[in-house]
Amino acid sequence: MRVVSLVPSLTEAVAATRPEVLVGATDWCTHPDGLDVTRVGGTKYPDLDRVLALAPDLVLLNEEENRLADAEALRVAGVPVRVTFPRTVPEALDQLGELVAAIGAPDEPPWLRAARRAWAAAPAPARVRTAVVPVWRRPWVVLGRDTFAGDVLRRLGVVNGWAGDPERYPRPALDVLRARAPELVVLPDEPYRFTADDGPEAFPGVPSVLVSGRHLTWYGPSLAEAPALLAAQLAAPV
């Protein structure tokens, strides 16, 4: 079997399960370290000629990260595609279970079993805080409704204050964000790399936490570490 992944988290999942079937990945597929496969460009604009040249039996995509036009072009070329779009932790775990079966894994791999255990055992949060969760600035973009990252945070005691917005990624002005009076600002290090010096200063008087964007937004082997790691980061304001 030959698999090309256009989704960084799924690249990591395949590499941790059946590395021998993975023949191509995007330039943004950074895990696992030392991944040695053909690179096919970005997630939004992959080089489809390079993808097709790899003669894949399956191409992995995500409805949010990749373009419908690329999925359709691959289908027209006769290449089977598998499109994921989890919006909750249980959906992510289920879709990962379906994925590893689709790539020929005889059983669920240890990392997926560990992820299921980690989230099943995650304790009820001691307190609940309402937060704003920027994912970009210039312009500001925040988590809105129906996002996987929002569900991850909710399970850890952080309610996204923009979860009721009609948009999944609204772009409110900074003064509008401040006017919501969040109890917490959650700043991931991807896709925008927020740091202690770039992000918290925009929300004076509000506690800010820096979190791992990979553990907040990726669904794959990182899910096993995510509950404990993110809980520790959420408890440590800068």
Side-chain angles (χ1 to χ4, degrees), residues 189-202:
D189 60 9
E190 63 173 74
Y192 184 92
R193 188 172 182 81
F194 288 103
T195 67
D197 300 318
D198 184 359
E201 82 291 342

Side-chain angles (χ1 to χ4, degrees), residues 11-236:
T11 298
E12 184 179 18
V14 175
T17 306
R18 291 199 65 202
E20 71 278 7
V21 306
L22 187 65
V23 297
T26 75
D27 298 342
W28 300 108
C29 294
T30 56
H31 288 73
D33 291 338
L35 181 65
D36 184 18
V37 296
T38 299
R39 300 294 177 159
V40 297
T43 57
K44 295 298 184 187
Y45 296 97
D47 186 332
L48 295 187
D49 289 337
R50 198 178 303 172
V51 172
L52 295 174
L54 291 170
D57 299 300
L58 182 65
V59 176
L60 306 179
L61 302 99
N62 172 270
E63 188 172 318
E64 187 170 82
E65 290 193 58
N66 307 115
R67 300 187 310 152
L68 176 60
D70 292 326
E72 291 179 340
L74 289 166
R75 289 191 179 107
V76 169
V79 178
V81 301
R82 187 174 192 89
V83 181
T84 57
F85 190 30
R87 281 158 282 194
T88 66
V89 171
E91 286 181 3
L93 294 170
D94 287 347
Q95 291 182 27
L96 287 166
E98 295 166 357
L99 169 64
V100 297
I103 63 173
D107 300 296
E108 285 198 346
W111 64 264
L112 183 50
R113 295 197 297 270
R116 292 191 189 278
R117 289 194 301 268
W119 283 100
R127 58 172 174 160
V128 175
R129 293 171 289 176
T130 300
V132 59
V133 190
V135 293
W136 202 260
R137 70 181 301 179
R138 305 181 190 95
W140 288 95
V141 181
V142 300
L143 290 185
R145 65 170 182 84
D146 204 21
T147 65
F148 171 74
D151 187 63
V152 167
L153 290 172
R154 181 184 65 80
R155 294 169 187 276
L156 298 174
V158 176
V159 175
N160 176 16
W162 289 81
D165 195 90
E167 301 292 330
R168 298 188 69 243
Y169 294 96
R171 299 186 175 197
L174 181 57
D175 59 346
V176 176
L177 290 175
R178 291 170 172 167
R180 288 283 182 97
E183 299 172 89
L184 185 69
V185 181
V186 178
L187 300 168
D189 60 9
E190 63 173 74
Y192 184 92
R193 188 172 182 81
F194 288 103
T195 67
D197 300 318
D198 184 359
E201 82 291 342
F203 300 90
V206 182
S208 294
V209 293
L210 301 174
V211 301
S212 165
R214 172 169 165 259
H215 291 86
L216 179 63
T217 64
W218 287 31
Y219 52 103
S222 60
L223 278 174
E225 306 168 347
L229 177 64
L230 291 173
Q233 292 175 333
L234 290 168

